[in-house]
Amino acid sequence: MGTARSADESTGQRPTVTIRLATASDAASILEIYNYEVENRTSTFDIVPRTLDAQRVWLTERSGAFAAVVATIPNRDGDPAVVGFASLSPYKERAAYRTTVESSVYVSREHGGLGIGRALMEHLIEVARDSGFHSIIARIEASSEASRALHRACGFVLVGVETEVGRKFNRWLSTAVMQLML
């Protein structure tokens, strides 16, 4: 289980962030984080928000190395609150690609810049290594310097840019492809 630290505004203390497997009860929290990105940002190229039922299905389809994990911190009552999530997915369907996976990491905007994304990414890297994968691919909207910096800090290198492969918010978007050899 991975940990990181984040700021607690009320005490100035930094409560522990816990990384754990996502459960069905996390679906609404994951949905809130993800749909914010769908509706307001280019971190995902999805343009239609997910429904709660679709999020539950997404969670039930995650197992083993492809399981979803969440980052939690204590809320004001001391109960764990989901502030981010991540997963590994198959990179491509063809058999020759089976040793490569694709990563996804999302952190709520109010908890960005606190090391939560890095804790999630480090956990995914550990899972990928333990599962015998050879490499991880990250597809990042090319102008997202924060996400690219996170991946660089975790050892990923830029291997290419897919120019204007998506369109969202009435503008063309490019994808930076970053890779980590395990």
Side-chain angles (χ1 to χ4, degrees), residues 66 89-92 96-102 133-137 179 181:
F66 301 119
S89 301
Y91 172 62
K92 300 267 186 183
Y97 292 113
R98 287 190 184 142
T99 58
T100 297
V101 289
E102 189 167 347
F133 291 111
H134 183 64
S135 72
I136 303 173
I137 299 288
Q179 184 175 23
M181 301 305 297

Side-chain angles (χ1 to χ4, degrees), residues 92-164:
K92 300 267 186 183
E93 289 184 30
R94 293 191 174 119
Y97 292 113
R98 287 190 184 142
T99 58
T100 297
V101 289
E102 189 167 347
S103 63
S104 296
V105 176
Y106 294 91
V107 176
S108 75
R109 290 288 164 163
E110 53 203 62
H111 295 93
L114 300 173
I116 296 166
R118 184 159 185 166
L120 284 163
M121 181 57 68
E122 288 173 351
H123 183 85
L124 287 183
I125 292 167
E126 183 179 317
V127 168
R129 277 194 179 109
D130 290 348
S131 299
F133 291 111
H134 183 64
S135 72
I136 303 173
I137 299 288
R139 293 181 129 56
I140 301 163
E141 196 280 313
S143 70
S144 178
E145 288 302 322
S147 187
R148 290 172 70 169
L150 164 65
H151 285 79
R152 274 192 305 275
C154 291
F156 284 72
V157 295
L158 181 68
V159 295
V161 175
E162 300 168 325
T163 304
E164 295 184 0

Side-chain angles (χ1 to χ4, degrees), residues 32-47:
E32 182 178 345
I33 293 166
Y34 188 73
N35 279 349
Y36 179 85
E37 299 300 314
V38 171
E39 295 172 330
N40 299 287
R41 304 293 181 157
T42 57
S43 58
T44 175
F45 282 26
D46 275 347
I47 57 175

